[in-house]
Amino acid sequence: MIIILNIMDTRIYLPPSMGYMQEYTKDKKKLAQEFEAILLKEVLKEAFKGFMNNKSFQERLYYDAFLENLSRHLALNGGVGIAQFVLKNLKD
């Protein structure tokens, strides 16, 4: 993913942060937990989809941040077993 900043009609192309990728590829457990957190967030977004109808932009933004933190917390504290499954089937 390339980030594009548009500052006063001047475009700046930034490559993705390597620190983020290096941090998660070194530790397979962290990588599996991050994958589980992302998957859980998508599942929770679908579960809350009906609840989010007719909400303002600020409310949707708040719930998105809430679901992201909730899914990360769930994944770091055992999750639903997706991270363990990934770790068990991950080849070195």
Side-chain angles (χ1 to χ4, degrees):
M1 176 173 74
I2 295 177
I3 300 169
I4 302 172
L5 298 176
N6 195 1
I7 302 170
M8 299 181 87
D9 296 329
T10 303
R11 290 187 178 188
I12 301 171
Y13 295 92
L14 300 174
S17 170
M18 289 307 295
Y20 176 81
M21 290 302 295
Q22 289 171 348
E23 178 184 342
Y24 283 103
T25 54
K26 284 183 182 177
D27 187 7
K28 291 181 181 175
K29 183 177 179 183
K30 278 186 179 180
L31 183 65
Q33 287 175 336
E34 183 70 14
F35 174 74
E36 183 172 17
I38 292 169
L39 191 62
L40 284 173
K41 181 183 176 192
E42 293 303 314
V43 169
L44 289 171
K45 275 174 45 175
E46 286 298 315
F48 275 80
K49 194 177 240 181
F51 177 73
M52 296 307 295
N53 290 340
N54 302 322
K55 298 290 183 189
S56 70
F57 174 74
Q58 291 87 2
E59 289 173 317
R60 289 194 312 262
L61 189 62
Y62 172 80
Y63 278 105
D64 188 68
F66 169 73
L67 293 176
E68 184 171 340
N69 287 316
L70 177 63
S71 63
R72 186 157 301 189
H73 180 76
L74 287 172
L76 292 176
N77 291 303
V80 294
I82 298 168
Q84 289 87 5
F85 177 78
V86 168
L87 281 174
K88 190 169 95 173
N89 292 301
L90 195 63
K91 295 181 182 180
D92 291 325

